[in-house]
Amino acid sequence: MKYIIIPDFILEHEKLNPTAKLLMGVVNSLSYKDNVCFASNEFFSKRLKVSKRTITATISMLKKQNLIKIEVINHLRTIYLNYEQEHYSSIPIVESC
């Protein structure tokens, strides 16, 4: 089973639109072990079924909110999560169904 994890503080972030929240979930799932993601805008575009232009704008938004850092070396982009995974692991999950 494939799934993504969107941290609670990302879901509740008032300055992020739904696409940004989903993109953070995808980046989070691809970089779960080492906080590093190498996926391309084309990959994200196909995965989320939005345009590459939307992905580019969304990545800029996430950088502006200081949630990710981007590094480009030899034409290879690396996306780093800019928050501690422990930051959201201690948030209690309340189930009320």
Side-chain angles (χ1 to χ4, degrees), residues 4-34:
I4 62 172
I5 297 172
I6 302 173
D8 195 50
F9 77 96
I10 296 293
L11 280 176
E12 294 180 3
H13 200 297
E14 294 180 2
K15 294 185 179 179
L16 298 181
N17 63 32
T19 301
K21 293 174 184 185
L22 284 173
L23 183 58
M24 281 300 295
V26 174
V27 171
N28 188 45
S29 69
L30 293 173
S31 60
Y32 186 70
K33 292 183 181 180
D34 52 7

Side-chain angles (χ1 to χ4, degrees), residues 32-48:
Y32 186 70
K33 292 183 181 180
D34 52 7
N35 287 352
V36 178
C37 175
F38 300 101
S40 67
N41 284 11
E42 184 175 355
F43 172 83
F44 292 133
S45 174
K46 289 179 181 177
R47 182 87 168 130
L48 297 178

Side-chain angles (χ1 to χ4, degrees), residues 8-94:
D8 195 50
F9 77 96
I10 296 293
L11 280 176
E12 294 180 3
H13 200 297
E14 294 180 2
K15 294 185 179 179
L16 298 181
N17 63 32
T19 301
K21 293 174 184 185
L22 284 173
L23 183 58
M24 281 300 295
V26 174
V27 171
N28 188 45
S29 69
L30 293 173
S31 60
Y32 186 70
K33 292 183 181 180
D34 52 7
N35 287 352
V36 178
C37 175
F38 300 101
S40 67
N41 284 11
E42 184 175 355
F43 172 83
F44 292 133
S45 174
K46 289 179 181 177
R47 182 87 168 130
L48 297 178
K49 295 180 179 28
V50 297
S51 69
K52 285 192 265 184
R53 184 176 178 180
T54 297
I55 295 299
T56 300
T58 303
I59 287 174
S60 293
M61 178 192 309
L62 294 173
K63 284 177 18 182
K64 191 173 186 175
Q65 293 301 315
N66 205 30
L67 293 169
I68 61 172
K69 291 181 184 177
I70 304 290
E71 185 176 272
V72 179
I73 299 175
N74 296 326
H75 304 288
L76 177 65
R77 178 185 69 187
T78 306
I79 301 173
Y80 296 93
L81 292 176
N82 200 26
Y83 61 85
E84 297 290 323
Q85 297 225 352
E86 293 80 33
H87 175 76
Y88 65 86
S89 64
S90 61
I91 297 173
I93 297 175
V94 179

